Amino acid sequence: MRMRALITAGLVGLSVLATQAAASGQSAADPLGEKQWGLAQLRATDAWATSTGAGQIIAVVDTGVDLGHPDLAPKLVPGATFAGCGDRPTPCGNGDWRGADGVGQPTDVHGTHVAGIAAAVAGNGIGIAGVAPDARIMPIKALENGSGTFADIGAGVRYAADHGANVVNLSLGAQPGTQLLTLLGLTRETKDAIAYAREKGVVVVASAGNETAPLCDTPAWESGALCVAATDADELHSTYSNLALKLDTKAVSAPGGASSRGCDDDVWSTVPRGAGSSKCGQADYDSFAGTSMAAPQVAGVAALLGAQGRNADGIEKALMTTARTPLVGLRGVFNPVYGYGVVDAAAAVQQPL
């Protein structure tokens, strides 16, 4: 059984602009900041006066990260590679997206994109800003060519928990129906690793899935993980996103993009240098959509909260109780579409410690 990165296909056009603007002061320092409508939807920049995530480490368990990307390199802590190791002992590398064989697969740009959303450098005159601009990134390569085993992903989560990560981001998932296998104990590696991380005080954030299914995919389904569904620039539930349903109801929503409009209606972030698509017109950045893009937004906010000295329970409580349901304006009230609502960073960091 394998899991795969959760990203939608078919980014189209350049003509549609996001309906929400990023904070006006950000764009000069981060040229693509004006395209980061997700930061405005999260009210992340409003939260930065209180916390920027300093001292927190976000482990990105994914396809690896471009270790030399200028918007990420200053933020990196040592990482590890578990996928593609063959017969060699693991870990067999340092989390570089190119893997143990030194070859970067086209689908493996995913982890670099996820890492940038969570914690890219802010105010450096290039690219974008991450949700937690002073948090650090631990690159863990548990997927090769866009997919990986439960065993490799579980090993990556355990490595993160044992090497100082405060937050683990899992922008990946198995096919709908696989939840039954974990419920029956037929596959345990990732489930047990999430429980292990949670026992060590690590917040685990995971993507809901992109199949328009009623339940969060595993590993977001597991009780130790916070499931994240996706919203578009209008704060509507993204059409591809799974619903925010799981047994323990630990679920929220965050910006993931539309997938069916244009580049600026999806989520801009870092990609390995030179890997940007011609559609969106940037060499080192690109715009993707998916619950993969929603999860690191929440991981970033979790780092903002962790930097205030909150424990894992306190972080989850602040995220869920302050999240807002679009249109009706309710906060901290669960519903099957948005979970507890769209995460509100500015409100969350103001919650009592």
Side-chain angles (χ1 to χ4, degrees):
M1 179 64 66
R2 296 180 71 81
M3 282 193 264
R4 76 277 185 229
L6 292 173
I7 184 169
T8 65
L11 303 176
V12 293
L14 290 169
S15 60
V16 182
L17 295 176
T19 59
Q20 294 179 333
S24 59
Q26 181 200 339
S27 59
D30 300 290
L32 294 176
E34 62 186 10
K35 301 175 183 290
Q36 289 187 271
W37 55 267
L39 292 180
Q41 189 174 118
L42 292 172
R43 296 210 300 152
T45 54
D46 292 339
W48 291 349
T50 303
S51 176
T52 55
Q56 296 289 288
I57 297 173
I58 302 170
V60 177
V61 180
D62 209 288
T63 62
V65 171
D66 178 2
L67 306 183
H69 196 294
D71 241 351
L72 300 176
K75 315 295 296 295
L76 298 176
V77 302
T81 298
F82 293 91
C85 294
D87 295 331
R88 285 168 287 184
T90 56
C92 65
N94 58 2
D96 192 289
W97 79 287
R98 291 169 294 190
D101 61 2
V103 178
Q105 303 296 329
T107 52
D108 288 347
V109 303
H110 184 271
T112 302
H113 198 271
V114 169
I117 294 168
V121 178
N124 60 348
I126 59 171
I128 64 160
V131 173
D134 286 334
R136 298 179 75 82
I137 300 162
M138 180 185 294
I140 298 180
K141 185 173 177 62
L143 307 178
E144 175 73 13
N145 202 17
S147 69
T149 66
F150 280 87
D152 286 345
I153 294 161
V157 172
R158 287 179 181 273
Y159 179 93
D162 287 340
H163 288 81
N166 307 103
V167 182
V168 169
N169 186 87
L170 297 171
S171 287
L172 46 85
Q175 292 288 347
T178 309
Q179 300 95 329
L180 182 60
L181 297 180
T182 65
L183 284 170
L184 295 175
L186 299 177
T187 179
R188 302 193 57 91
E189 297 99 325
T190 302
K191 177 180 181 178
D192 288 349
I194 290 171
Y196 175 78
R198 197 64 181 75
E199 288 170 3
K200 297 198 74 169
V202 179
V203 176
V204 180
V205 179
S207 300
N210 299 338
E211 300 87 15
T212 321
L215 301 177
C216 300
D217 287 344
T218 189
W221 168 262
E222 308 307 334
S223 62
L226 181 64
C227 174
V228 185
T231 56
D232 65 16
D234 298 317
E235 294 196 341
L236 299 176
H237 180 79
S238 300
T239 55
Y240 55 80
S241 176
N242 291 0
L243 297 183
L245 274 175
K246 54 180 299 196
L247 289 176
D248 64 6
T249 72
K250 284 172 52 174
V252 293
S253 294
S259 176
S260 58
R261 302 178 192 169
C263 294
D264 290 348
D265 274 296
D266 294 333
V267 179
W268 280 94
S269 187
T270 47
V271 291
R273 289 161 292 170
S277 70
S278 58
K279 286 181 181 178
C280 294
Q282 296 282 337
D284 303 338
Y285 301 85
D286 214 333
S287 179
F288 298 159
T291 56
S292 274
M293 285 63 254
Q297 313 261 14
V298 177
V301 180
L304 300 182
L305 295 165
Q308 294 181 291
R310 302 174 196 265
N311 63 19
D313 288 336
I315 290 169
E316 290 179 347
K317 180 180 179 182
L319 288 169
M320 292 187 289
T321 58
T322 60
R324 65 186 187 281
T325 301
L327 304 178
V328 297
L330 296 175
R331 288 186 182 268
V333 178
F334 182 84
N335 71 81
V337 177
Y338 292 95
Y340 281 95
V342 178
V343 166
D344 185 332
V349 297
Q350 295 303 321
Q351 286 296 289
L353 296 176

